[in-house]
Amino acid sequence: QVQLVQSGGGLVQAGDSLRLSCTASERAFSSYNMGWFRQVPGKEREFVAAITRTGDSTYYGDSVKGRFNISRDNAKKTVYLQMNSLKPEDTAVYYCAADRNPFWVSRTSREYDYWGQGTQVTVSS
């Protein structure tokens, strides 16, 4: 199985920025579409952002569009989520995910095959 190891996260104030990283153990990283999801207790996992294999196209959930940026460095086998203008409602556990058979970019968590361990992001008001 592919291992996805996340770093970043923490406690910040509203309006602050934070950058999450997710590094893959797998050499085939560049063949995967990558996504970020988030989840709060009692709610379904929410799509945040996704990026294509080459990084030529990106996609965002409505709630983060214009504030968050996803990027990738295939040489480092790493995908990033730059979070700006954070709001208390962004508080969640954030997960990176890999789609090993990307026919298209998916906003649905069940389409992804490998998941990071999750990292808590807490935004105070």
Side-chain angles (χ1 to χ4, degrees):
Q1 293 289 306
V2 173
Q3 294 184 12
L4 300 176
V5 180
Q6 299 178 219
S7 61
L11 174 63
V12 297
Q13 291 184 312
D16 284 353
S17 296
L18 203 60
R19 190 193 200 195
L20 306 182
S21 298
C22 174
T23 299
S25 64
E26 166 63 46
R27 66 181 182 274
F29 172 82
S30 62
S31 70
Y32 306 150
N33 284 357
M34 297 295 297
W36 287 95
F37 292 79
R38 65 188 184 186
Q39 189 168 28
V40 298
K43 303 203 72 173
E44 292 188 17
R45 194 162 293 186
E46 177 189 11
F47 173 76
V48 175
I51 189 167
T52 54
R53 287 165 286 181
T54 60
D56 58 332
S57 297
T58 57
Y59 305 85
Y60 298 93
D62 290 341
S63 63
V64 306
K65 192 173 184 178
R67 298 188 296 120
F68 290 12
N69 292 290
I70 187 172
S71 61
R72 68 191 296 162
D73 186 336
N74 285 346
K76 296 180 179 179
K77 298 187 291 184
T78 299
V79 63
Y80 305 95
L81 184 68
Q82 177 66 46
M83 302 182 291
N84 302 312
S85 301
L86 283 162
K87 304 174 181 180
E89 51 263 45
D90 295 318
T91 296
V93 176
Y94 284 72
Y95 299 89
C96 67
D99 181 359
R100 67 183 175 183
N101 297 303
F103 296 99
W104 52 79
V105 174
S106 179
R107 295 170 176 258
T108 304
S109 61
R110 66 177 178 268
E111 297 296 328
Y112 290 81
D113 302 289
Y114 309 112
W115 292 85
Q117 80 277 17
T119 185
Q120 178 71 45
V121 173
T122 302
V123 185
S124 66
S125 59

